Amino acid sequence: MQKKKTTPRNKTRKIYVGSVAVGGGSPISVQSMTKTDTRDVKATVRQIKSLAKAGCEIIRIAVPDLEAAEALGSIKKSVTLPVIADIHFDWRLALEAIRQGVDGLRINPGNIGARWKISEVVSAASDRHVPIRIGVNAGSLSKKLLEKYGHPTPEALVESAEEHINILEQLNFREIKVSLKASNIPTTVDAYRLFSRRFRYPLHIGISEAGPSFTGIIKSAVGLGIILSEGMGDTMRVSLSADPRQEIRVAYEILKSLGLRTKGANIISCPTCGRCEIDIRGLASKVETRLKNIDKPITVAVMGCAVNGPGEAREADIGIAGGKGIGLLFRKGKIIKRLEEKELLNELMEEINK
């Protein structure tokens, strides 16, 4: 069997979001954001529980007003995931969110007004050990930075982050993580590169406004793949205009492809060609559906011909390689059965369950 390679990681400070460690070599955590009205506690709790079942490890919740902030306590008591309150501009919402017991804040200190307001939020966060994410976004840079750089450049994103970091550090607060997001992939990647050369705060990574499912998955996979392959990133969200559970699934697939997480099944299947003499596309789709809720790491090969099939199947934990209306079932590199095509799916699943 080939030895699996892992991607080296940049060294960052370790902080905690609830019980989840972020940075300092901890596993890259996967998070999402609720798409419900936060004031609707039942709907929000229901969505968080479904995300937890899908593998989400941290959940972020929009807090647009005081009613939403006051709902956080009831939500927090009903779920097991660490809760981050996403707040813009209003320092009072941050204070209320902390009172309600959230595990983290996403708030840019430079956007919440007078120094005394920032100081109150930081003091409350420090008392409760609540970390703060500085979330820099290309779509919301200050007028000053846009005038300086002309448009949202990587340098502008990093300078914005530095301004917010300086505010917190002057208040002796360092439980910080940072994101530098844009919908443009090269801008985002270069911003993370620039930041990582200068700071050791843990990074939340993502591609902002990636889009609907198909295009969003491609943009996220390309952008996050580059960032992660260069050792950057401590927690991540795949932002899709889709069911948030799909964000979780895509995130783990990206991490698995780089050997950074091993949650769930890793399916290897051939694209099929004129040599294929069994229904590999149908088999692969059915295998993927049946394995989507498996948490334990396992590599499964579904291959269609004798050229690459046997070799790939042998490198998998378990797999099948097809012939003309037949297939070979492999386990740990050894052929264990020769089967008719109609038997392949059930026999493969039976071996996986073992």
Side-chain angles (χ1 to χ4, degrees):
M1 300 287 283
Q2 293 177 344
K3 186 177 180 180
K4 294 180 180 178
K5 294 181 179 180
T6 57
T7 304
R9 305 272 304 282
N10 288 359
K11 187 175 182 180
T12 57
R13 295 183 75 246
K14 182 184 287 188
I15 65 170
Y16 284 86
V17 181
S19 60
V20 177
V22 176
S26 306
I28 298 167
S29 53
V30 172
Q31 55 180 281
S32 185
M33 188 171 183
T34 54
K35 303 189 180 187
T36 56
D37 183 337
T38 305
R39 293 162 293 198
D40 186 339
V41 173
K42 287 185 179 179
T44 303
V45 167
R46 186 163 55 247
Q47 186 166 87
I48 293 171
K49 287 183 175 180
S50 73
L51 285 164
K53 188 176 180 182
C56 184
E57 294 165 316
I58 299 172
I59 190 67
R60 182 158 48 106
I61 302 176
V63 185
D65 56 29
L66 185 58
E67 186 180 352
E70 291 172 341
L72 292 171
S74 297
I75 294 168
K76 180 80 173 68
K77 291 174 184 175
S78 303
V79 301
T80 57
L81 296 183
V83 171
I84 294 175
D86 191 285
I87 293 164
H88 295 274
F89 309 120
D90 194 335
W91 63 286
R92 293 168 297 183
L93 299 182
L95 290 175
E96 183 59 35
I98 293 170
R99 280 194 289 268
Q100 294 290 332
V102 298
D103 301 289
L105 292 177
R106 190 276 195 184
I107 188 167
N108 291 346
N111 296 338
I112 58 175
R115 176 78 174 212
W116 66 268
K117 295 178 181 179
I118 302 168
S119 182
E120 282 203 22
V121 172
V122 169
S123 177
S126 183
D127 289 344
R128 300 284 187 94
H129 303 288
V130 172
I132 293 174
R133 169 157 76 92
I134 293 169
V136 178
N137 193 293
S140 56
L141 289 175
S142 68
K143 185 178 179 181
K144 180 190 73 173
L145 287 173
L146 289 175
E147 288 175 351
K148 178 178 178 179
Y149 291 98
H151 63 279
T153 64
E155 292 80 7
L157 292 172
V158 173
E159 187 169 330
S160 178
E162 185 175 16
E163 289 176 355
H164 295 302
I165 288 170
N166 287 340
I167 293 170
L168 294 180
E169 287 184 340
Q170 287 166 12
L171 294 167
N172 296 315
F173 188 88
R174 288 177 172 78
E175 297 306 297
I176 301 167
K177 65 180 184 294
V178 177
S179 64
L180 307 109
K181 295 184 182 180
S183 58
N184 180 275
I185 291 173
T187 298
T188 303
V189 171
D190 284 343
Y192 281 113
R193 285 170 175 158
L194 287 172
F195 185 89
S196 293
R197 291 175 196 146
R198 297 179 56 193
F199 298 95
R200 285 291 172 261
Y201 286 114
L203 288 172
H204 169 112
I205 61 172
I207 304 299
S208 184
E209 294 91 33
S213 184
F214 180 74
T215 54
I217 289 172
I218 292 171
K219 288 175 70 175
S220 295
V222 171
L224 295 175
I226 295 169
I227 293 165
L228 290 164
S229 71
E230 294 185 13
M232 299 176 288
D234 301 286
T235 184
M236 66 186 285
R237 180 197 174 192
V238 173
S239 300
L240 301 175
S241 302
D243 186 325
R245 289 174 297 184
Q246 191 170 13
E247 298 182 353
I248 303 304
R249 188 177 178 191
V250 173
Y252 278 111
E253 288 301 321
I254 293 170
L255 291 170
K256 281 191 291 184
S257 72
L258 292 166
L260 292 167
R261 292 291 296 267
T262 56
K263 179 182 172 64
N266 175 33
I267 301 173
I268 301 167
S269 65
C270 71
T272 76
C273 68
R275 292 190 298 267
C276 186
E277 296 183 275
I278 63 172
D279 180 19
I280 284 298
R281 286 192 297 176
L283 274 170
S285 178
K286 290 172 183 175
V287 170
E288 183 179 42
T289 298
R290 292 199 188 186
L291 294 180
K292 69 179 181 179
N293 293 323
I294 286 182
D295 286 333
K296 292 184 179 180
I298 184 171
T299 298
V300 179
V302 183
M303 307 302 292
C305 76
V307 176
N308 295 317
E312 290 286 359
R314 285 191 182 97
E315 291 300 327
D317 294 306
I318 191 164
I320 52 175
K324 188 174 182 179
I326 61 167
L328 300 175
L329 182 64
F330 291 81
R331 184 177 64 213
K332 298 294 184 183
K334 295 182 179 180
I335 299 171
I336 56 174
K337 286 183 183 178
R338 182 184 179 92
L339 302 162
E340 293 184 16
E341 181 178 353
K342 64 183 180 181
E343 301 174 300
L344 287 172
L345 178 63
N346 287 337
E347 290 284 346
L348 176 65
M349 295 307 303
E350 186 175 326
E351 287 298 321
I352 289 170
N353 290 333
K354 289 180 183 178

